[in-house]
């Protein structure tokens, strides 16, 4: 946790900014970093570049090496106590500027903005900022659920091998998806697959992959995460070969989901 003696309001702000810019898609663009440091410079007691960079690095270390969610919750609470109402309004606007810096407003970014707005008694401002954004709003719809997340990841793995989907791979994906929703017809499963494929085609790919990985980790117990990995292994082998890209992607998912697995296969 943060050291009370050296941790300041600027650190809390920096940690929130980092959670928004990096924590939502695990990517920090130059535009996001520039916007983040510009916003922080306006809050810093010593607004020189070296001090601002030091605050950013210390906040990033706390976010990356600690319990990120706990750190964010603590900073949100601290800022509610330390900032005036008008300062909280400004901080929320800064958060929105950082979210918009890469031109895309992700669903997870929207979620964090609304979380901050609710915690800081700024619900209407949060809604107005999202509604009036100049960024492309990534919204998959209220009916997007677990089965869509699964279909999306199956497509990611199958497509990673050779940038193509074979009929064998599609059949395996539909079979496995059907096992998760046995009451749905084959045509319903195909509709889910087609919609997930369209989301995959629209991108941005890496942000969506990371979001699905984290969502499924939150939604599924470890036994069902193991089932998903088995599904992905079957999808990867559908064309008779487990490629290096497929293997690395499945191993990445296993690590992200805190699962130890060993895959046999040839490049």
């Amino acid at each position: 946790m943060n050291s009370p003696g050296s941790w300041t309001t600027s650190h809390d702000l920096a940690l929130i900014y980092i959670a928004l810019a990096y924590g939502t898609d695990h990517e920090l663009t130059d535009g996001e970093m520039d916007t983040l440091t510009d916003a922080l410079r306006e809050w810093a007691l010593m607004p020189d570049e070296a001090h601002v960079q030091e605050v950013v690095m210390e906040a990033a270390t706390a976010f990356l090496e600690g319990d990120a969610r706990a750190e964010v919750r603590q900073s949100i609470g601290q800022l509610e106590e330390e900032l005036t109402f008008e300062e909280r309004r400004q901080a929320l606007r800064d958060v929105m500027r950082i979210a918009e810096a890469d031109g895309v407003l992700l669903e997870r970014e929207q979620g964090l903005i609304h979380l901050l707005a609710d915690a800081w008694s700024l619900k209407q401002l949060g809604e107005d900022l999202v509604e009036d954004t100049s960024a492309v709003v990534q919204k998959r719809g209220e009916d997007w659920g677990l089965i869509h997340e699964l279909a999306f990841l199956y497509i990611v793995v199958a497509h990673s091998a050779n940038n193509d989907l074979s009929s064998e791979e599609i059949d395996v994906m539909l079979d496995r998806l059907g096992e998760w929703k046995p009451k749905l017809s084959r045509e319903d499963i195909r509709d889910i697959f087609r919609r997930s494929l369209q989301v995959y085609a629209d991108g941005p790919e890496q942000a969506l992959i990371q979001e699905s990985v984290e969502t499924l980790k939150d939604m599924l117990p470890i036994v069902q995460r193991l089932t998903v990995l088995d599904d992905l292994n079957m999808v990867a082998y559908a064309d008779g070969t487990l490629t290096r890209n497929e293997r690395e992607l499945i191993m990445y998912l296993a690590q992200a989901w805190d699962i130890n697995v060993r895959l046999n296969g040839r490049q």
Side-chain angles (χ1 to χ4, degrees):
M1 299 296 287
N2 306 327
S3 172
S6 60
W7 197 262
T8 66
T9 299
S10 294
H11 287 84
D12 282 318
L13 287 164
L15 192 141
I16 296 296
Y17 296 163
I18 290 166
L20 192 287
Y22 178 80
T24 52
D25 59 3
H26 289 228
E27 183 178 7
L28 188 59
T29 67
D30 291 341
E32 287 173 325
M33 190 61 182
D34 290 342
T35 305
L36 187 157
T37 53
D38 286 345
L40 191 60
R41 194 176 293 109
E42 298 173 5
W43 292 93
L45 295 177
M46 294 183 294
D48 62 275
E49 188 65 24
H51 177 69
V52 169
Q53 292 298 328
E54 180 182 0
V55 169
V56 170
M57 290 302 298
E58 290 172 350
T61 299
F63 181 83
L64 295 171
E65 297 184 0
D67 182 336
R69 293 185 181 182
E71 296 288 350
V72 169
R73 286 196 299 269
Q74 182 179 0
S75 290
I76 290 173
Q78 285 292 111
L79 291 170
E80 182 184 11
E81 295 178 4
E82 295 169 357
L83 301 182
T84 66
F85 180 75
E86 286 303 319
E87 286 174 334
R88 294 199 301 273
R89 287 176 63 88
Q90 182 57 51
L92 191 63
R93 291 192 183 97
D94 288 344
V95 165
M96 191 64 187
R97 283 168 50 204
I98 294 166
E100 294 174 325
D102 62 355
V104 178
L105 186 62
L106 301 175
E107 283 187 301
R108 284 184 177 270
E109 290 173 329
Q110 297 172 59
L112 182 52
I113 290 166
H114 288 308
L115 175 65
L116 289 167
D118 288 345
W120 292 346
S121 303
L122 299 172
K123 185 174 182 179
Q124 187 59 54
L125 177 60
E127 292 176 355
D128 291 344
L129 289 172
V130 171
E131 183 177 349
D132 297 337
T133 182
S134 59
V136 175
V137 179
Q138 182 195 95
K139 191 172 183 63
R140 290 178 285 189
E142 294 180 359
D143 60 339
W144 181 276
L146 171 65
I147 191 72
H148 297 87
E149 297 286 7
L150 291 169
F152 177 79
L153 271 190
Y154 295 172
I155 292 166
V156 169
V157 170
H159 195 253
S160 68
N162 54 14
N163 293 326
D164 191 21
L165 294 178
S166 68
S167 59
E168 292 83 3
E169 289 170 327
I170 293 173
D171 285 341
V172 170
M173 284 187 274
L174 294 175
D175 289 343
R176 287 290 174 142
L177 288 170
E179 293 178 8
W180 286 89
K181 290 287 185 178
K183 293 184 179 181
L184 294 181
S185 68
R186 187 73 166 187
E187 189 55 36
D188 289 335
I189 295 295
R190 284 188 180 277
D191 288 341
I192 289 168
F193 176 81
R194 281 192 287 264
R195 184 175 175 205
S196 301
L197 183 60
Q198 184 60 56
V199 170
Y200 176 81
D202 290 343
E205 181 182 337
Q206 188 56 46
L208 287 174
I209 293 172
Q210 187 61 43
E211 185 172 353
S212 287
V213 170
E214 294 181 5
T215 297
L216 289 171
K217 182 178 181 180
D218 290 340
M219 294 175 70
L220 299 177
I222 192 165
V223 172
Q224 289 186 320
R225 279 178 255 155
L226 279 166
T227 300
V228 177
L229 288 177
D230 184 59
D231 288 351
L232 294 171
N233 197 41
M234 292 295 294
V235 169
Y237 269 116
D239 59 359
T241 305
L242 180 68
T243 69
R244 174 181 291 180
N245 285 344
E246 290 169 331
R247 178 187 177 87
E248 290 180 350
L249 186 50
I250 293 173
M251 293 303 295
Y252 159 74
L253 293 170
Q255 183 177 17
W257 290 342
D258 302 323
I259 297 171
N260 291 321
V261 297
R262 177 175 295 178
L263 296 179
N264 294 320
R266 286 177 297 202
Q267 182 178 330

